[in-house]
Amino acid sequence: MTIAVTMCKLLFAMAVGYYLNKKEILNGEINKKLSALIVDVTCPFLIFSSAGQMGEGGRQDILFLLAAGAATYCLMPFLSALVVKALRVPADCVGTYRCMLMFSNNAFMGYPVVEALIGSFAVFYTTVFHFGYNLLFYSYGKFIIERDAGQAGKFEPRRLLNSGIIACALALVLYFT
């Protein structure tokens, strides 16, 4: 029943957003600012506060999740390359297809769904598992998308300093101290 209620809440929120967009109450500029608010403020606070919900036990579980996530996201570039090759994707879209295969929308909608269905402690587990996702997306993912767009992309370490990665790192420090 909890799953149905959570999905209905999300459906209702999307319907309200659709309605407000149709009535031009929301526009591109407002949507961009609301997205930035969610991605840069509320989601990092959700991640950080989830570490406070954890008990003292389970440190091995956290380390296992960190390692499993790292292994998963180390394999994803290779698996996505195989799938893209098998699909015979046009050369100018290879990076885009690889990004679609490697990176899901696990934060923007995923964290609130996990919190609603399982509890705030599960947000911390999800964050730890997907730490590798954030590192890979903001480095390699951005690079291959820029390459598809014809931009000479190069790795910039400052890309890794974003609210999601910082919140996850702080949550891990909070948990282990």
Side-chain angles (χ1 to χ4, degrees):
M1 188 64 165
T2 304
I3 294 172
V5 169
T6 301
M7 292 302 146
C8 286
K9 287 178 185 177
L10 289 172
L11 182 62
F12 179 72
M14 287 188 284
V16 168
Y18 178 80
Y19 174 78
L20 294 174
N21 196 45
K22 281 293 187 190
K23 291 292 184 181
E24 297 181 8
I25 295 170
L26 295 178
N27 59 30
E29 184 180 337
I30 292 172
N31 291 341
K32 188 175 181 178
K33 289 179 180 179
L34 286 173
S35 291
L37 176 69
I38 291 169
V39 171
D40 295 332
V41 179
T42 61
C43 196
F45 278 118
L46 177 66
I47 291 168
F48 189 69
S49 69
S50 70
Q53 304 295 320
M54 301 299 297
E56 289 186 29
R59 292 179 191 260
Q60 291 80 15
D61 293 339
I62 298 302
L63 293 174
F64 174 77
L65 281 172
L66 195 58
T72 299
Y73 287 108
C74 283
L75 285 174
M76 292 306 286
F78 301 107
L79 293 174
S80 69
L82 291 173
V83 171
V84 165
K85 187 174 252 185
L87 292 174
R88 296 186 179 130
V89 172
D92 62 331
C93 297
V94 167
T96 304
Y97 274 73
R98 289 184 71 188
C99 274
M100 287 189 300
L101 291 165
M102 287 187 284
F103 308 114
S104 65
N105 186 0
N106 60 19
F108 196 72
M109 292 293 286
Y111 290 157
V113 170
V114 165
E115 182 180 34
L117 294 178
I118 304 170
S120 59
F121 72 93
V123 172
F124 184 66
Y125 286 135
T126 304
T127 301
V128 169
F129 183 82
H130 291 297
F131 188 69
Y133 166 99
N134 288 315
L135 292 174
L136 190 62
F137 179 77
Y138 288 105
S139 57
Y140 182 67
K142 192 161 168 93
F143 169 76
I144 62 177
I145 289 288
E146 287 174 349
R147 190 176 58 198
D148 272 4
Q151 300 171 357
K154 65 176 186 166
F155 176 69
E156 297 174 23
R158 65 183 169 91
R159 287 183 182 167
L160 298 178
L161 291 177
N162 60 63
S163 56
I165 291 173
I166 293 168
C168 183
L170 289 174
L172 283 168
V173 168
L174 176 67
Y175 177 73
F176 282 109
T177 57

